[in-house]
Amino acid sequence: MKKLLFSITLLNCCNIVFAQKFYTKNGSISFFSTTYVENIQADNNQVMSVLNATTGELQFSLFIKGFHFKKALMEEHFNENYLESDQYPKATFKGTIADINKINFLKDGVYPILVSGDLTMHGITNKISSKGSITIKEGAITGSSVFSVALADYKIVIPAIVETKISKTIEIKVNCLYDQKM
Amino acid sequence: MLQKKLILFCCVFASLNQCVKAQNTTDTTDLMDRLEIETTNSTTEYAAATFKTSRLINGHTIETLGKAVLDVKISHRFGTLNNGAYQLFGLDNATMRMGLDFGITNNLMVGIGRSTYQKTFDAFFKVKILRQSSGKKKMPVSISYVPTIAIRTLDWGDSINKYPFSSRVSYTHQLIIARKFSEALSLQIMPTFIHRNLSPLIAEPNDLLAIGIGGRQKLTKRTSFNLEYYYMLPGYKIKGTTNSLSVGFDIETGGHVFQLHFTNTRAMTEKNFISETTGKWQKGDILFGFNISRVFNIGKKKS
């Protein structure tokens, strides 16, 4: 009887510890275009992300209109001419973290990770993989990564007249604090 | 014993509950879908870029400049096409307006200009009152208010009568109500009130009322077809004048917007082109014109 009670209790505890998904609605993704003429940066602080600690599944989703620039006209052109955000309002990533079991979510530390999956934006999906890290500090989980995408891979066309101002590859920085769980 | 059984029952129930919950939400995608719906419902998305620039053809659009953006506008209206080949279909004559517009905040801009038509100086401000939005806050239209003051500095050509300075001044108040129906189609209506301190004839009213309608249909990502029409309300139309009708074409190239158009009016200040147009389209009083807009960001560069 006691054994049964103990095992049921243990099962419940296991559920709490392991069958867990961490998520956020306020993650940050920024991108940078660097050329000798002009540096462009835009930030989106309403990135949604779900990290499944059991399966290693990792997903991101954001609204293109959530990217904000320092120059209003740049933001307008970004939405109207380049990303066509009325037609393609979202960008998503659906992938997995390799060897998720190596991360001990209960122990503080910086764990290097390798993420691979499908990145969809401007209506086009490509397989990408990137290195990153998961940082655990006093129970708080932060995921971060830096990677590059080529505009041509997503059929984002830069007209000749502004070619010198916009880089052909864009650096993307991801930083998400997974502040909620279920 | 009973107590134990109760505890056991509770535990089993709790774990069952967990299992059910876990199964319902196992799919990471489900959770993501839920987050997306929550975010969509909790954020307000404002309609941006209802028009390419702050002018439609002769008159204003709903748009204002961004904060700390300077817009240099050079506009030309040539002579009428029915001048024929001798005047190169009007290209020998031109009226011109030079203007400087500046965005004080993202919702408030000011501008000054000087037009060769009656040697007119003008100044205005434009403020956004409502912004079309969807999501958390829903608003079907955007509304801007533009008051303009215009001062004619052309000599009266009258050596007998003396006119005070105030008789050179006129005021225009416009409310612009716009809706971006789709990525490509935007329409606006512009109820307009004009006050002239001096009306040329006693029989003419000092206060005039007009309603403008206008819109744009995008042809490609960077070009659009525009239409602008100002209708003088019955009883307010000055004898011998016609309503202003213009068709235009916008080309946007990064920081420049080129607007090419055909219109029946030479003037580029509200009071003049709304109430004093004399050209008739059907008689070939059609003028070719263009506006060139170049924007500069003069705000402090943040690192």
Side-chain angles (χ1 to χ4, degrees):
Chain A
M1 179 66 200
K2 265 192 183 151
K3 259 186 193 166
L4 184 67
L5 192 64
F6 178 73
S7 53
I8 288 169
T9 313
L10 194 70
L11 192 70
N12 275 335
C13 289
C14 286
N15 263 335
I16 290 160
V17 177
F18 295 114
Q20 240 170 27
K21 287 182 283 291
F22 301 98
Y23 67 96
T24 179
K25 290 194 276 182
N26 316 304
S28 322
I29 289 184
S30 305
F31 68 78
F32 303 83
S33 154
T34 316
T35 66
Y36 65 94
V37 181
E38 193 164 34
N39 293 336
I40 301 168
Q41 180 188 343
D43 306 306
N44 189 328
N45 295 317
Q46 287 177 299
V47 177
M48 298 156 275
S49 180
V50 178
L51 165 62
N52 189 324
T54 1
T55 61
E57 279 175 282
L58 181 65
Q59 293 198 5
F60 291 91
S61 177
L62 60 80
F63 290 100
I64 299 295
K65 282 188 180 159
F67 277 107
H68 295 299
F69 293 67
K70 272 160 200 152
K71 296 180 181 176
L73 199 60
M74 257 184 200
E75 193 167 316
E76 186 179 316
H77 291 160
F78 169 75
N79 282 297
E80 281 232 305
N81 299 341
Y82 299 115
L83 269 289
E84 302 176 86
S85 58
D86 276 330
Q87 210 177 337
Y88 310 108
K90 290 193 297 189
T92 59
F93 173 81
K94 290 180 181 185
T96 46
I97 300 173
D99 297 329
I100 189 75
N101 303 329
K102 285 183 183 164
I103 301 171
N104 183 351
F105 283 91
L106 300 173
K107 196 181 159 206
D108 282 8
V110 179
Y111 300 87
I113 52 167
L114 182 69
V115 181
S116 53
D118 297 327
L119 178 62
T120 305
M121 63 177 163
H122 199 229
I124 291 162
T125 304
N126 285 313
K127 287 226 178 302
I128 62 160
S129 63
S130 165
K131 283 176 182 167
S133 68
I134 284 188
T135 308
I136 316 242
K137 200 181 172 191
E138 290 160 7
I141 300 163
T142 309
S144 57
S145 176
V146 180
F147 61 100
S148 293
V149 295
L151 292 182
D153 292 348
Y154 295 90
K155 296 218 168 85
I156 296 165
V157 183
I158 307 298
I161 198 163
V162 289
E163 227 170 36
T164 54
K165 292 181 177 176
I166 301 173
S167 173
K168 288 185 173 63
T169 56
I170 304 293
E171 187 184 72
I172 298 174
K173 278 188 188 165
V174 184
N175 191 24
C176 288
L177 169 68
Y178 293 90
D179 48 6
Q180 299 188 67
K181 57 187 168 183
M182 69 179 292
Chain B
M1 193 61 205
L2 186 74
Q3 211 174 9
K4 263 187 187 168
K5 260 187 186 164
L6 203 66
I7 292 169
L8 185 65
F9 176 76
C10 284
C11 285
V12 172
F13 185 74
S15 44
L16 273 177
N17 205 14
Q18 287 271 3
C19 286
V20 171
K21 227 200 240 169
Q23 262 182 354
N24 275 345
T25 54
T26 306
D27 202 352
T28 311
T29 309
D30 281 353
L31 177 56
M32 185 51 96
D33 289 347
R34 213 192 69 201
L35 293 184
E36 282 179 356
I37 291 164
E38 280 175 16
T39 303
T40 307
N41 291 338
S42 66
T43 50
T44 305
E45 190 187 286
Y46 292 100
T50 308
F51 292 94
K52 291 268 183 217
T53 176
S54 63
R55 300 304 197 288
L56 185 54
I57 293 174
N58 290 312
H60 283 275
T61 64
I62 193 85
E63 296 293 340
T64 62
L65 292 171
K67 189 182 177 182
V69 175
L70 181 73
D71 187 356
V72 178
K73 284 190 183 290
I74 308 285
S75 311
H76 276 71
R77 301 291 178 272
F78 293 98
T80 56
L81 297 182
N82 61 8
N83 275 325
Y86 180 66
Q87 302 260 33
L88 201 63
F89 304 97
L91 293 190
D92 284 355
N93 304 307
T95 47
M96 197 210 22
R97 180 182 180 274
M98 291 181 292
L100 276 182
D101 293 355
F102 181 71
I104 294 173
T105 73
N106 285 331
N107 295 320
L108 175 67
M109 70 181 276
V110 293
I112 51 166
R114 202 277 190 179
S115 168
T116 56
Y117 184 87
Q118 294 183 347
K119 300 190 188 299
T120 305
F121 287 86
D122 65 85
F124 70 90
F125 73 85
K126 173 153 59 174
V127 60
K128 282 183 182 166
I129 300 170
L130 286 178
R131 291 174 73 193
Q132 184 185 335
S133 62
S134 57
K136 192 181 177 190
K137 278 191 243 166
K138 291 184 180 68
M139 182 57 61
V141 293
S142 299
I143 298 181
S144 290
Y145 167 61
V146 200
T148 310
I149 178 170
I151 302 163
R152 164 201 160 122
T153 63
L154 184 70
D155 276 346
W156 294 107
D158 185 338
S159 53
I160 303 156
N161 295 312
K162 287 264 186 283
Y163 298 97
F165 173 77
S166 61
S167 53
R168 297 179 177 277
V169 183
S170 63
Y171 307 88
T172 308
H173 297 267
Q174 284 191 294
L175 211 56
I176 306 178
I177 304 156
R179 179 167 168 82
K180 188 178 187 177
F181 286 91
S182 70
E183 176 59 20
L185 179 69
S186 304
L187 296 176
Q188 62 175 31
I189 51 175
M190 304 83 90
T192 304
F193 169 79
I194 299 170
H195 174 79
R196 310 177 293 170
N197 280 346
L198 178 75
S199 66
L201 297 172
I202 291 168
E204 288 175 5
N206 287 75
D207 297 336
L208 305 171
L209 287 173
I211 285 188
I213 53 165
R216 73 111 187 249
Q217 170 68 43
K218 267 191 173 181
L219 303 173
T220 69
K221 267 192 269 181
R222 292 178 177 83
T223 59
S224 73
F225 172 77
N226 302 343
L227 189 83
E228 185 184 72
Y229 179 65
Y230 277 94
Y231 174 72
M232 294 300 298
L233 291 184
Y236 295 101
K237 192 166 163 187
I238 302 164
K239 217 176 169 191
T241 64
T242 49
N243 291 325
S244 155
L245 172 67
S246 318
V247 293
F249 184 64
D250 281 7
I251 306 161
E252 177 244 299
T253 61
H256 286 93
V257 178
F258 298 95
Q259 300 184 294
L260 312 173
H261 28 254
F262 289 102
T263 175
N264 59 348
T265 182
R266 293 177 73 87
M268 285 156 275
T269 30
E270 277 68 19
K271 174 243 182 187
N272 301 112
F273 70 78
I274 295 173
S275 68
E276 296 168 5
T277 296
T278 53
K280 290 189 172 75
W281 273 76
Q282 64 273 25
K283 287 197 175 165
D285 300 330
I286 302 163
L287 303 86
F288 173 68
F290 64 81
N291 304 341
I292 295 173
S293 153
R294 174 74 175 108
V295 298
F296 301 92
N297 282 277
I298 60 171
K300 266 185 248 161
K301 277 194 181 136
K302 285 178 270 179
S303 59

